[in-house]
Amino acid sequence: MKHLLSAIALFAAFSPLAINAQTAINPTGDYNRITAMYQYRDLAGDGTNGFELGYVHGFSLSSTTPLFFQTGLKFDMGFDHESASEQGLKISGDLTTMSFSVPLDIAYKLVFGDNSNVAFIPFAGFNLKVNALADVTASASYQGVKEKETVSMFDDEIGMKRFQAGWHIGLGFQINKFYAGADFGTDFIKIIDNGGNCTPTFHLGVGYTF
């Protein structure tokens, strides 16, 4: 929730600047966009909060229709912490993840406004994801004795997958060059063979189009 509120506050801070600086949006022109997003990802039952940084290029598919193919590269990290204590024994676990993904989207840019400087951009598509890091660090302390161990979820005993493919759907809102958007999706490939889900993921954040 803290990350979600930070993303909303960031967009609210940029909004007055975006409204005052009028810049016409080309309905059918190619574009580049950089984004910073809050991310929530359900990783085999462990909900991770984190962030995503991304770059997307929109390729125009028509000179008369505002239809685009979007692709680029996105980098994300997720974190989760759990702890418990009982009768002097304190235990905690920390999960850290890192992934890279390539979106393959179809987007439609609906431009309107007195100066054609406002647009809604619905999009949907697929993503290819490489899970680069997934470490669990377990710590325990009892009567002054401390132990710590880090285990990779890619170990054979856990069997987390390095590669996933999935789908997502989202909506973007652009004022002049400033952007806010949200998307939701999940993977076709389960993150762990005996896991109960396919890692649903939610993003919310802001960006800049140029």
Side-chain angles (χ1 to χ4, degrees), residues 119-151:
F120 282 102
I121 309 170
F123 59 92
F126 303 98
N127 56 272
L128 306 177
K129 182 188 299 176
V130 175
N131 296 306
L133 174 71
D135 284 349
V136 176
T137 299
S139 303
S141 63
Y142 182 71
Q143 295 182 348
V145 179
K146 298 181 179 180
E147 295 287 342
K148 179 182 288 189
E149 182 179 3
T150 299
V151 177

Side-chain angles (χ1 to χ4, degrees), residues 10 15 19 23 47 51 53 56-58 72 83 99 118 134 143 168 170 175:
L10 186 59
S15 293
I19 293 171
T23 303
F51 66 88
L53 303 176
V56 165
H57 182 82
S83 60
S99 302
V118 177
Q143 295 182 348
H168 55 263
I175 305 178

Side-chain angles (χ1 to χ4, degrees), residues 149-206:
E149 182 179 3
T150 299
V151 177
S152 172
M153 294 184 68
F154 300 115
D155 288 352
D156 293 339
E157 295 180 358
I158 302 176
M160 178 172 165
K161 290 184 172 63
R162 292 272 183 186
F163 174 79
Q164 288 182 284
W167 63 268
H168 55 263
I169 187 170
L171 177 64
F173 177 67
Q174 184 177 336
I175 305 178
N176 304 306
K177 294 181 178 293
F178 294 90
Y179 174 88
D183 65 78
F184 172 81
T186 190
D187 295 290
F188 303 130
I189 303 172
K190 289 186 176 182
I191 191 71
I192 298 173
D193 285 334
N194 59 357
N197 61 67
C198 296
T199 57
T201 304
F202 171 76
H203 296 107
L204 174 66
V206 295

Side-chain angles (χ1 to χ4, degrees), residues 3-12 14 33-40 50-56 73-77 177-183 202-210:
H3 298 281
L4 178 59
L5 293 176
S6 297
I8 295 172
L10 186 59
F11 175 63
F14 278 131
R33 182 186 303 125
I34 53 174
T35 55
M37 297 278 186
Y38 159 78
Q39 173 178 281
Y40 175 82
F51 66 88
E52 178 193 81
L53 303 176
Y55 164 78
V56 165
L73 180 64
K74 298 182 177 182
F75 161 79
D76 69 75
M77 294 199 71
K177 294 181 178 293
F178 294 90
Y179 174 88
D183 65 78
F202 171 76
H203 296 107
L204 174 66
V206 295
Y208 185 80
T209 304
F210 57 97

